[in-house]
Amino acid sequence: MIVKSRSFLLIRRTLVLFVLLACSVVVNAQEAKKSGGPAYLSSLEAEVIQEINLARAHPEKYAAYLQEYKKYYNGKICSSPTRTRPVMTFEGVAAIDEAIRFLQSSNPLGRLEPSRGLSLGAKDHVLDLSQKGMISHRGSDGSLPTDRVSRYGTWESTMGEAILFEVSTPREMVMQLIIDDGVRDRGHRKDIFEPSFQMAGVSIISQSGFGSFCVIDFADKFTDNSPLSTDSVKIKGNKRG
């Protein structure tokens, strides 16, 4: 989902659904620093941003990763070793081949810098999803991604949001966003390779009553006004999108 500035009013709503082996998340600052990420990100969250940056900087490498990933497909059934069971995809290998062609024709892009405010906006939504079991960019309080990140700062003209349901390794998560199986406009791939994006925030919950969730918020520029505490705001109301 990419939201342009208020003058464009362009909203692309896309969600990707895939079942991956849930992995535990270490959320203390010491573990986060082992991966080179800031203290407000867990090691897995920091690695997701690093993996997105690898795809942006070296799309040809990701084309090779996807080529290797094809061996786990039998028609439309994917049996990746990180999955608890085989999964029926919508498009099968055809979506991977299309993604490979995209990557092979793509130019390198600049890296995304992690943002505390964007991560807090993502955290608000990931907590909401895990508590309510929703599948939507609209929160239970009626908020959209722009509303949530605006609680913690100011975005300039373009922002986007990607949601993953059931998380695995950073590489497989990013590969699935790039493949974007079953998403007609490849909205998650567009988030990863949006040239104007310069910043990103990630929040992951590996276990909840409704499964595991990852929310990634992107922005071209973001002025952070987040409080010193990393506690996100409490979701109020039951309004659904």
Side-chain angles (χ1 to χ4, degrees), residues 132-194:
K132 305 293 175 58
M134 301 180 305
I135 303 175
S136 177
H137 287 288
R138 185 180 293 275
S140 63
D141 59 353
S143 64
L144 292 173
T146 52
D147 302 314
R148 293 187 289 270
V149 301
S150 294
R151 297 166 182 163
Y152 304 105
T154 305
W155 57 284
E156 188 165 287
S157 61
T158 309
M159 73 154 295
E161 181 174 87
I163 303 175
L164 296 146
F165 301 89
E166 300 298 332
V167 299
S168 183
T169 66
R171 178 147 303 166
E172 186 154 15
M173 291 167 69
V174 174
M175 285 196 299
Q176 291 293 341
L177 288 171
I178 293 172
I179 296 168
D180 227 0
D181 176 70
V183 180
R184 181 174 297 179
D185 71 347
R186 308 300 191 207
H188 297 91
R189 183 191 302 169
K190 291 175 181 177
D191 284 336
I192 297 294
F193 294 100
E194 169 59 45

Side-chain angles (χ1 to χ4, degrees), residues 67-171:
Q67 189 67 43
E68 176 68 13
Y69 194 62
K70 287 169 61 175
K71 69 184 181 183
Y72 300 121
Y73 278 70
N74 180 9
K76 292 186 178 181
I77 299 176
C78 179
S79 301
S80 163
T82 64
R83 297 175 186 257
T84 55
R85 60 186 180 274
V87 174
M88 176 66 73
T89 65
F90 292 99
E91 302 173 71
V93 172
I96 300 181
D97 287 335
E98 190 268 332
I100 290 171
R101 292 192 295 272
F102 168 85
L103 291 167
Q104 290 173 336
S105 63
S106 296
N107 295 319
L109 295 171
R111 61 179 285 105
L112 303 174
E113 295 298 329
S115 163
R116 190 167 182 271
L118 290 175
S119 295
L120 288 174
K123 182 180 179 181
D124 283 351
H125 198 43
V126 85
L127 288 172
D128 199 18
L129 294 174
S130 68
Q131 293 167 5
K132 305 293 175 58
M134 301 180 305
I135 303 175
S136 177
H137 287 288
R138 185 180 293 275
S140 63
D141 59 353
S143 64
L144 292 173
T146 52
D147 302 314
R148 293 187 289 270
V149 301
S150 294
R151 297 166 182 163
Y152 304 105
T154 305
W155 57 284
E156 188 165 287
S157 61
T158 309
M159 73 154 295
E161 181 174 87
I163 303 175
L164 296 146
F165 301 89
E166 300 298 332
V167 299
S168 183
T169 66
R171 178 147 303 166

Side-chain angles (χ1 to χ4, degrees), residues 19-62:
V19 182
L20 298 174
L21 177 65
C23 53
S24 62
V25 180
V26 179
V27 296
N28 62 71
Q30 183 179 2
E31 288 297 319
K33 290 178 181 177
K34 287 182 180 179
S35 66
Y40 56 81
L41 294 176
S42 72
S43 58
L44 181 58
E45 290 164 350
E47 288 165 12
V48 167
I49 295 180
Q50 292 170 3
E51 197 69 23
I52 292 172
N53 282 334
L54 177 60
R56 285 170 63 95
H58 301 285
E60 75 287 352
K61 285 188 177 181
Y62 252 77

